[in-house]
Amino acid sequence: MSATSSDAVTMEFEAVGGDAGSAADRPEKRSKLAGSGRANEREAHERSVSSVVLGLASPVLKAMLASGMEESQSRRIKIAKDIGTAVQFDQFYACLSPATARTVRINEENVDGILAFSDYYQVIPLKLECDRALRDFLPSVERLVQAHKYGLSDQYKRC
């Protein structure tokens, strides 16, 4: 997932207590997987990705990285925990990356994170793909609330 140094941007995630992310994201597993120390903790919550891929997919990210905004200067984008986790970003980015996009299948395990990131960063084709995938899942109160939050009118009616 890492990008070349010339087009790399670092995605930085807020630490989330009780995050159900990957083993590498959970503090109790991190030391076994990556050694211990502050540097390893920071690495578990950072991702180096291609700014070109992000900019082509998202008008929001393109503007952040191309303007005089802090993100364009620092080459770092901070992701608040209410947007999503590092693991959810990995799933979202896999849908954007030319190397992996054709192999990603949106399913019940990854749709929530992919939908959240695609909505926040206005990746409309991916958001619509999530909307189509949600139609295959059983309606529920949680899905109703989700449909309302993300403006998925057909899904809202279905639930």
Side-chain angles (χ1 to χ4, degrees), residues 7-19:
D7 95 307
V9 63
T10 300
M11 307 303 285
E12 184 179 317
F13 301 87
E14 282 185 19
V16 180
D19 180 15

Side-chain angles (χ1 to χ4, degrees), residues 120-139:
Y120 189 81
Y121 290 116
Q122 298 177 12
V123 182
I124 304 305
L126 187 54
K127 181 179 175 180
L128 294 173
E129 191 174 336
C130 289
D131 186 25
R132 285 189 297 274
L134 285 166
R135 295 175 195 167
D136 295 335
F137 311 145
L138 291 175

Side-chain angles (χ1 to χ4, degrees), residues 71-98:
E71 293 84 358
S72 69
Q73 303 300 316
S74 67
R75 306 302 289 169
R76 298 181 79 76
I77 297 175
K78 294 180 181 172
I79 309 291
K81 60 186 170 188
D82 60 331
I83 298 169
T85 66
V87 171
Q88 290 171 328
F89 177 81
D90 291 345
Q91 295 166 342
F92 167 73
Y93 188 77
C95 293
L96 305 180
S97 173

Side-chain angles (χ1 to χ4, degrees), residues 40-93:
N40 290 326
E41 183 176 330
R42 185 177 63 247
E43 289 170 10
H45 294 287
E46 291 182 353
R47 303 291 190 268
S48 180
V49 296
S50 169
S51 61
V52 173
V53 169
L54 295 177
L56 286 171
S58 165
V60 173
L61 289 163
K62 180 178 182 178
M64 291 171 78
L65 294 167
S67 69
M69 295 178 75
E70 176 185 338
E71 293 84 358
S72 69
Q73 303 300 316
S74 67
R75 306 302 289 169
R76 298 181 79 76
I77 297 175
K78 294 180 181 172
I79 309 291
K81 60 186 170 188
D82 60 331
I83 298 169
T85 66
V87 171
Q88 290 171 328
F89 177 81
D90 291 345
Q91 295 166 342
F92 167 73
Y93 188 77

